[in-house]
Amino acid sequence: MDIYNNFKNYFDSCYRLLIIIYHLFTFIYSLFFINLLNLQIRKSMLEIFFGRNKKKTRPEPAISFGRYSDNNKPVEKVNRWTDADNLFKEKKYTESFDAFFEYLRDDNIGNVVHERNENNGHFHFYQGSKIVRGGYDSEHLQAEVTLAKMPSPSVPVMRRLLEMNFNLYYSRYAMNGERLCIRFDSDIETANPNKLYYGLKELSTKGDKQDDLLTQDFSTLQTIDTEHIIEIPLQEKEIKFLWFKKWIDEGLEFVKTLDREKFSGGIAYLLLALAYRIDYLIVPEGKVLRDLEKIVELYFKKDERQTTEKNRDMIGAFEKLGSSSKEEVFNSLYRSKHTFAIVSPQNYKTITDSIYNANQNINWYRDNNYPSIAAQIAEYGIAYCQYSYSLPRPVTDLFHLFMMVNYGEYFNALGFNVNYYNPGSKQFDADKITDRIKQIMSTWKAKYPNLKMKLENIKYDSLVSFNISFTTEIEYFNFDTNR
């Protein structure tokens, strides 16, 4: 019995000891947790007061918009053109080629490769879906683009190439075995920088356009030499296809609510702005791009037809384009490097006139409660320039900001974080817009010292007012490079 009691007392003591240890650890843990919580609260308060509590934003997606422009080369690149011209006049032909290909090279994208050994050299450069390959020796220079593979002869294909030959000035269509090509060549003694530039530009831009069209129009031809093309992620393609259909469907639906006679001018503006928007924001290639270009050509073709007739044809073409299958649109969506712009620079007064003329036609639509038409007429004025000309980079940057304000939901769908305008509440984030404008102005101040934008003139009371005031400020830009 004594042994039992001794064991019982021993176990009771151990149990009480364990209870004490448990409460002690609980107390210590509570102190640690409270201190940790206080530390986190103090840290949060410091972050709030000293600005460290900024939300981590996702990086902007690497998506490009619009067409490539070679109109904004830095000063050192422009100087290499002068070097190429002077060296050629001194009959230092290979040194002239060194300077010429360095002028062409865009160091940001690595679009041109040129190597030489004494008087012999070879080069290749990228233009959309095509690679231009060439070489030279002490006597001749030649360059070539492979368009497609033709396993068996085709009379319709050869007829098409023969007809297109008449539209070429420097190059010609040719065959090399089963390969359809475009070729350019020149004697070294006549291969001056101007001839090289325009000859290689014709070769590469025609090749970039015709390869897609030929393989789509002729089933006997096979795609070839496109391994360098950068595939767009499937999710991005899905989003672009969705908005491609959405813009066309909504645009046509709205146009059909308007009197085609009374609103003929407004309808033309809406349809053309739609074409330019798709070109800049969706950036299609191949067949879709060709169809867009045909829609624009329907309006600007010089003939005796009335605006209502041209609008009818554009509507019909848009209806056909809007019915394109997902596969057709997806095949026209890809990314690639470019060396030449498909449009040319213009005197800035041409851009000024386009913006001014469009904005002059807004008043009636604004005053008669057609804000959607008014806003898109302002869009047309600057979008026409972006589509038709190779613009100074600050104008393109500001046009991109303009599109982000007007089509923020599209950019959000693609994964962009910045919101400049809320279409639901019709509220602008004027501070963000101002900051972006200042950033653009600062970036290009060194090259364009007289470039200014009067921020106080930009209006934020409505989308129409913003579009008019914003584009009007662009209209008054001074690109004089003299201080």
Side-chain angles (χ1 to χ4, degrees):
M1 189 67 178
D2 290 337
I3 294 174
Y4 172 78
N5 289 332
N6 289 337
F7 271 109
K8 183 175 182 299
N9 292 334
Y10 173 76
F11 282 114
D12 287 344
S13 299
C14 289
Y15 177 75
R16 284 193 296 272
L17 180 62
L18 287 173
I19 293 297
I20 293 170
I21 292 172
Y22 169 77
H23 285 295
L24 180 62
F25 273 104
T26 301
F27 176 71
I28 293 172
Y29 175 77
S30 299
L31 287 176
F32 174 77
F33 179 77
I34 291 170
N35 286 331
L36 182 64
L37 182 61
N38 287 335
L39 179 63
Q40 189 64 36
I41 291 172
R42 287 196 297 271
K43 182 180 178 182
S44 298
M45 293 298 292
L46 285 172
E47 288 176 342
I48 290 171
F49 283 113
F50 293 100
R52 298 181 192 172
N53 200 33
K54 294 179 180 178
K55 292 182 180 179
K56 292 183 178 180
T57 57
R58 295 170 297 168
E60 297 292 308
I63 300 175
S64 57
F65 299 90
R67 305 294 165 182
Y68 178 76
S69 173
D70 56 355
N71 184 32
N72 296 282
K73 293 183 180 295
V75 174
E76 57 269 21
K77 290 290 184 182
V78 176
N79 291 339
R80 292 304 281 157
W81 175 274
T82 304
D83 294 340
D85 194 41
N86 291 334
L87 288 165
F88 185 84
K89 290 175 181 177
E90 296 170 10
K91 297 187 177 181
K92 297 178 180 179
Y93 301 126
T94 52
E95 291 90 340
S96 176
F97 294 157
D98 288 340
F100 174 78
F101 284 111
E102 189 175 338
Y103 166 80
L104 283 187
R105 185 185 303 115
D106 186 327
D107 296 329
N108 293 323
I109 61 176
N111 57 334
V112 177
V113 175
H114 170 236
E115 298 174 344
R116 75 173 177 91
N117 181 15
E118 297 299 331
N119 293 330
N120 298 317
H122 61 270
F123 57 87
H124 70 266
F125 60 86
Y126 301 91
Q127 183 69 26
S129 61
K130 292 289 95 181
I131 301 178
V132 177
R133 296 180 175 88
Y136 55 87
D137 55 27
S138 58
E139 296 182 356
H140 296 96
L141 179 145
Q142 59 81 31
E144 181 180 277
V145 172
T146 298
L147 296 175
K149 182 178 180 181
M150 187 166 64
S152 58
S154 169
V155 173
V157 172
M158 300 304 292
R159 183 184 296 115
R160 168 79 70 86
L161 297 179
L162 183 62
E163 292 171 351
M164 291 192 300
N165 249 337
F166 288 101
N167 296 319
L168 299 178
Y169 294 96
Y170 299 92
S171 51
R172 65 193 185 280
Y173 291 96
M175 285 199 65
N176 185 350
E178 294 184 343
R179 293 189 304 116
L180 293 179
C181 312
I182 306 181
R183 287 181 174 174
F184 164 80
D185 51 39
S186 173
D187 294 334
I188 289 296
E189 294 181 353
T190 62
N192 60 71
N194 277 295
K195 180 180 179 181
L196 280 185
Y197 182 87
Y198 290 106
L200 294 176
K201 180 176 181 177
E202 178 184 80
L203 175 77
S204 57
T205 55
K206 294 290 185 182
D208 181 33
K209 176 172 287 190
Q210 291 301 325
D211 68 323
D212 291 326
L213 302 183
L214 287 169
T215 54
Q216 289 168 2
D217 291 346
F218 299 102
S219 59
T220 56
L221 300 182
Q222 300 173 8
T223 301
I224 189 174
D225 203 22
T226 57
E227 294 78 12
H228 63 287
I229 289 176
I230 304 168
E231 188 69 21
I232 287 179
L234 180 60
Q235 183 180 7
E236 182 184 332
K237 286 186 177 182
E238 292 282 0
I239 293 168
K240 287 188 171 183
F241 177 72
L242 174 67
W243 284 83
F244 170 80
K245 302 281 281 188
K246 172 184 170 65
W247 281 329
I248 292 177
D249 291 344
E250 290 181 352
L252 293 180
E253 184 178 346
F254 179 65
V255 162
K256 290 175 181 177
T257 65
L258 303 174
D259 185 299
R260 296 196 178 189
E261 294 288 341
K262 182 180 178 181
F263 289 87
S264 60
I267 291 172
Y269 277 125
L270 293 174
L271 295 173
L272 291 169
L274 174 59
Y276 302 150
R277 186 187 319 141
I278 292 172
D279 179 76
Y280 183 80
L281 294 180
I282 306 294
V283 200
E285 304 286 351
K287 182 179 181 300
V288 174
L289 176 58
R290 179 182 65 171
D291 291 343
L292 275 178
E293 290 172 341
K294 285 184 174 180
I295 290 172
V296 175
E297 289 168 6
L298 284 171
Y299 182 80
F300 287 103
K301 184 178 180 180
K302 294 181 179 179
D303 53 33
E304 301 300 322
R305 295 188 308 151
Q306 299 295 315
T307 301
T308 50
E309 296 178 83
K310 294 183 176 184
N311 289 345
R312 179 199 62 206
D313 291 347
M314 285 195 291
I315 290 171
F318 263 122
E319 288 174 339
K320 184 177 179 181
L321 182 61
S323 65
S324 300
S325 68
K326 179 181 288 190
E327 182 183 6
E328 288 176 314
V329 177
F330 275 24
N331 288 339
S332 296
L333 298 176
Y334 54 82
R335 276 192 276 276
S336 55
K337 300 176 183 179
H338 292 78
T339 302
F340 295 97
I342 60 175
V343 290
S344 301
Q346 291 288 328
N347 185 289
Y348 198 69
K349 187 177 185 307
T350 304
I351 286 84
T352 295
D353 290 344
S354 173
I355 296 172
Y356 174 80
N357 291 334
N359 285 350
Q360 287 297 108
N361 291 322
I362 288 176
N363 294 337
W364 188 90
Y365 298 97
R366 179 183 55 190
D367 297 341
N368 287 274
N369 200 28
Y370 292 98
S372 177
I373 300 178
Q376 290 186 55
I377 292 176
E379 176 186 332
Y380 164 87
I382 184 67
Y384 168 81
C385 299
Q386 179 65 36
Y387 176 88
S388 304
Y389 311 126
S390 184
L391 297 179
R393 183 60 183 273
V395 178
T396 294
D397 289 346
L398 288 167
F399 173 70
H400 186 73
L401 173 59
F402 176 94
M403 298 302 274
M404 291 193 80
V405 171
N406 281 265
Y407 303 101
E409 291 175 300
Y410 171 69
F411 285 94
N412 291 156
L414 288 174
F416 289 84
N417 304 310
V418 180
N419 293 294
Y420 294 108
Y421 175 71
N422 186 327
S425 63
K426 298 183 179 181
Q427 295 296 310
F428 292 86
D429 193 326
D431 291 338
K432 285 183 181 178
I433 294 173
T434 298
D435 288 344
R436 179 59 185 140
I437 294 172
K438 288 180 178 178
Q439 185 182 33
I440 294 170
M441 295 293 106
S442 174
T443 300
W444 293 99
K445 185 70 175 176
K447 185 172 183 179
Y448 304 111
N450 297 305
L451 188 64
K452 295 180 177 64
M453 195 170 196
K454 295 181 179 178
L455 299 175
E456 65 274 14
N457 290 343
I458 299 177
K459 299 178 181 178
Y460 297 100
D461 54 295
S462 70
L463 192 61
V464 175
S465 294
F466 172 82
N467 286 0
I468 296 173
S469 60
F470 186 87
T471 55
T472 298
E473 285 305 304
I474 296 176
E475 178 189 338
Y476 293 128
F477 276 175
N478 180 357
F479 281 99
D480 188 351
T481 55
N482 296 320
R483 292 187 180 273

